[in-house]
């Protein structure tokens, strides 16, 4: 009955947004309150769950998304995006441009959290799209598939890292096995699948339309790439240095601050203000106008993402994930497949890959130990399950929809299906490795 109620709430949300054309943020609020009532959360605590869900999601994403939009807008307006697109195309050629962006997304996705990588790569995706008149999903989906797979499968991302510890797995082996599985999942869910989506109409956010400037007015190649990718470089440096921080305890707090994603974005924006703004002859007033314009385009996105967080928190507080896990744990199945299945169902119900993975860990651990299942492969099986069925209760679903300005139907056909493809390919890879190891 619990699962039926969750499905009905999700169906109601889809109808409100796509059929009745109600603003998605308002629809999320209404459905979140209704779900809380139906699922038995005390009436006095429902509003608190909604507020906590919005606060948790926006607390981690508000600065990243707003400053990422400012940085992306400046990269577009300064001509840096035009320069970056030209260089990428010269290296890869239009025939292999997909593989170029996939490789970029994969390398960047390993050290970066998904939300950060998404926001940072969007300007690069759109610069190639606008410059060479290519279908947005044909270019964008492969890169985002790479980001998503690294988020679900590979340490040092939060969920895989936490699962490694809970299952007493080996971080290095998990990473090595994860790479073997991640590559075919990215190839099939990214470049190959995206070729079926060329007919989907998409008009990406106008903030990222790159300015068409004469060649002699463009910033230099190094300046363009360095400024656009500075957040990535800073986060990689902070990650590398953190391994040696114990040797320099006096610098640990400094690295913790300077390496935080929010601070990295602020440093990067300040740098871009100089390198792509003032040093390129723009006035402070002009630069601030660019930043103000960028905020207008992402304000509604922030609210919608916050709304998805409200629904997710209501579902978590209602205990839905635990109830689903209890229903499924006694099924007589191969442990790796069962871990994947439990995670996938919880992910569908609550929308959070991390919640799904960590909830499953506590349920599947005794079975894994009793059956002597490889813990490294269990980490990857649960990680693959956590990517399944991304839909309206997942913030990533709405980020993709709003940045690419897609309809709900087309978001399901592209984003949701891509996430399910990489989840299934991940499971197949885990089961094959289990036969080999």
């Amino acid at each position: 009955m619990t699962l039926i109620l969750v499905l009905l709430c999700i169906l109601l949300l889809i109808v409100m947004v796509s059929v009745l054309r109600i603003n998605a943020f308002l629809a999320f609020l209404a459905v979140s309150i209704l779900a809380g009532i139906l699922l038995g959360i005390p009436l006095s605590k429902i509003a608190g769950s909604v507020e906590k869900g919005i606060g948790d999601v926006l607390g981690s994403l508000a600065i990243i998304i707003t400053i990422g939009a400012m940085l992306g807008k400046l990269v577009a307006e300064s001509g840096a995006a035009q320069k970056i697109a030209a260089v990428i195309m010269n290296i890869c050629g239009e025939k292999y441009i997909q593989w170029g962006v996939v490789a970029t997304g994969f390398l960047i996705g390993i050290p970066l959290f998904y939300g950060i990588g998404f926001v940072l790569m969007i300007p690069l995706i759109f610069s190639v799209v606008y410059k060479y008149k290519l279908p947005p999903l044909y270019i964008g989906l492969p890169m985002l598939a790479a980001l998503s797979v690294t988020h679900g499968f590979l340490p040092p991302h939060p969920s895989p890292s936490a699962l490694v510890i809970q299952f007493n797995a080996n971080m290095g082996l998990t990473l090595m096995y994860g790479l073997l599985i991640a590559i075919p999942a990215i190839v099939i869910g990214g470049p190959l699948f995206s070729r079926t989506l060329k007919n989907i109409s998409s008009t990406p956010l106008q903030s990222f339309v790159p300015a068409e400037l004469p060649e002699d007015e463009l910033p230099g190649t190094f300046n363009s790439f360095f400024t656009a990718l500075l957040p990535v470089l800073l986060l990689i440096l902070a990650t590398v240095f953190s391994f040696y921080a114990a040797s320099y305890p006096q610098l640990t707090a400094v690295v913790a601050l300077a390496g935080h994603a929010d601070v990295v974005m602020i440093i990067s924006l300040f740098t871009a203000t100089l390198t792509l703004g003032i040093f390129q002859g723009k006035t402070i007033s002009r630069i601030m106008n660019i930043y103000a314009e960028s905020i207008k385009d992402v304000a509604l996105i922030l609210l919608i993402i916050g709304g998805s967080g409200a629904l997710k928190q209501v579902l978590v507080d209602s205990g839905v994930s635990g109830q689903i896990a209890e229903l499924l744990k006694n099924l007589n199945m191969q442990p790796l497949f069962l871990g994947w299945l439990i995670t996938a169902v919880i992910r569908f119900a609550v929308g959070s890959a991390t919640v799904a993975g960590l909830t499953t860990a506590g349920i599947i651990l005794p079975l894994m130990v009793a059956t002597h299942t490889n813990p490294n492969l269990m980490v990857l099986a649960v990680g693959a399950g956590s990517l399944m069925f991304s839909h309206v209760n997942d913030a990533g679903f709405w980020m993709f929809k709003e940045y690419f300005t897609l309809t709900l139907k087309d978001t399901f056909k592209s984003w949701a299906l891509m996430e399910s493809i990489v989840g299934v390919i991940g499971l197949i890879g885990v089961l094959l490795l289990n036969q080999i190891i």
Side-chain angles (χ1 to χ4, degrees):
M1 188 62 190
T2 297
L3 189 56
I4 292 174
L5 290 175
V6 172
L7 290 173
L8 289 175
C9 289
I10 291 171
L11 180 62
L12 175 60
L13 179 65
I14 294 172
V15 170
M16 291 176 72
V17 173
S18 60
V19 179
L20 302 179
R21 304 294 181 183
I22 295 173
N23 177 276
F25 175 66
L26 299 178
F28 265 120
L29 293 180
V31 172
S32 297
I33 294 171
L34 177 62
I37 295 171
L38 294 177
L39 293 172
I41 295 178
L43 297 182
S44 61
K45 296 183 177 180
I46 292 176
S49 290
V50 170
E51 291 174 356
K52 183 179 187 304
I54 294 174
D56 285 352
V57 170
L58 293 186
S60 61
L61 286 178
I63 293 177
I64 293 169
I65 289 178
T66 52
I67 293 186
M70 293 178 185
L71 181 60
K73 181 76 168 176
L74 184 59
V75 167
E77 291 286 332
S78 67
Q82 184 178 338
K83 172 65 76 173
I84 290 168
V87 172
I88 292 176
M89 189 61 79
N90 287 337
I91 293 174
C92 301
E94 185 171 342
K95 184 177 179 180
Y96 299 106
I97 190 64
Q98 272 194 321
W99 301 104
V101 297
V102 163
T104 302
F106 184 70
L107 292 174
I108 286 171
I110 290 175
L112 293 187
F113 293 162
Y114 178 80
I116 302 168
F118 185 106
V119 173
L120 294 182
M121 290 302 100
I122 282 292
L124 297 185
I125 292 170
F126 291 168
S127 66
V128 173
V129 166
Y130 281 111
K131 175 67 176 176
Y132 297 99
K133 309 296 187 294
L134 296 171
L137 296 185
Y138 178 75
I139 296 299
L141 200 68
M143 178 179 281
L144 299 178
L147 289 176
S148 182
V149 168
T150 56
H151 169 74
F153 290 4
L154 304 180
H157 287 275
S159 183
S161 298
L163 291 172
V164 165
I165 294 171
Q166 291 200 38
F167 291 151
N168 197 28
N170 180 285
M171 189 77 73
L173 277 177
T174 301
L175 180 59
M176 185 179 73
Y177 295 156
L179 289 171
L180 292 176
I181 296 171
I183 292 172
I186 291 169
V187 170
I188 296 171
L192 297 184
F193 173 60
S194 68
R195 292 174 186 177
T196 68
L197 304 175
K198 291 183 179 180
N199 61 333
I200 291 182
S201 176
S202 172
T203 53
L205 285 179
Q206 291 301 304
S207 270
F208 301 115
V209 177
E212 287 292 334
L213 301 175
E215 185 67 27
D216 59 350
E217 294 183 18
L218 297 179
T221 300
F222 174 80
N223 186 11
S224 299
F225 275 93
F226 173 77
T227 305
L229 297 179
L230 181 58
V232 178
L233 298 175
L234 291 176
L235 287 166
I236 291 174
L237 286 174
T239 302
V240 170
F241 190 83
S242 66
F243 293 116
Y244 304 96
S247 303
Y248 306 94
Q250 65 276 19
L251 295 179
T252 301
V254 175
V255 173
L257 174 63
H260 192 281
D262 293 346
V263 177
V264 163
M265 294 301 291
I266 293 170
I267 293 171
S268 300
L269 186 67
F270 177 77
T271 302
T273 302
L274 297 175
T275 58
L276 296 180
I278 294 172
F279 296 167
Q280 296 295 317
K282 291 182 175 61
T283 64
I284 287 292
S285 177
R286 169 62 180 147
I287 296 169
M288 293 303 114
N289 284 336
I290 291 173
Y291 293 163
E293 287 295 320
S294 71
I295 297 301
K296 296 177 183 178
D297 290 319
V298 298
L300 185 57
I301 294 176
L302 280 171
L303 289 175
I304 292 171
I305 291 171
S308 70
L311 179 57
K312 181 209 75 174
Q313 191 63 44
V314 166
L315 295 176
V316 169
D317 289 349
S318 71
V320 164
S321 59
Q323 293 177 46
I324 293 170
E326 286 295 322
L327 288 172
L328 297 176
K329 73 175 184 178
N330 293 321
L331 295 177
N332 185 22
M333 294 181 178
Q334 208 276 357
L336 292 171
F337 179 77
L338 184 59
W340 177 89
L341 179 63
I342 293 174
T343 312
V345 175
I346 295 174
R347 154 76 159 175
F348 174 81
V350 304
S352 169
T354 302
V355 169
L358 298 181
T359 301
T360 301
I363 299 298
I364 205 70
L365 180 60
L367 178 62
M368 185 193 79
V369 174
T371 56
H372 305 289
T373 302
N374 188 308
N376 305 297
L377 294 182
M378 185 60 80
V379 171
L380 298 174
V382 171
S386 74
L387 297 179
M388 290 293 294
F389 306 132
S390 172
H391 60 95
V392 294
N393 60 356
D394 177 21
F397 177 94
W398 291 97
M399 288 174 68
F400 184 82
K401 177 187 181 299
E402 297 301 322
Y403 272 98
F404 285 85
T405 60
L406 297 169
T407 65
L408 267 178
K409 177 183 177 181
D410 286 339
T411 310
F412 277 110
K413 288 169 60 178
S414 54
W415 170 261
L417 190 50
M418 179 274 288
E419 287 279 85
S420 295
I421 288 172
V422 298
V424 170
I425 298 300
L427 171 65
I428 294 171
V430 166
L431 295 178
L432 288 175
L433 277 179
N434 189 52
Q435 296 299 313
I436 298 170
I437 297 172

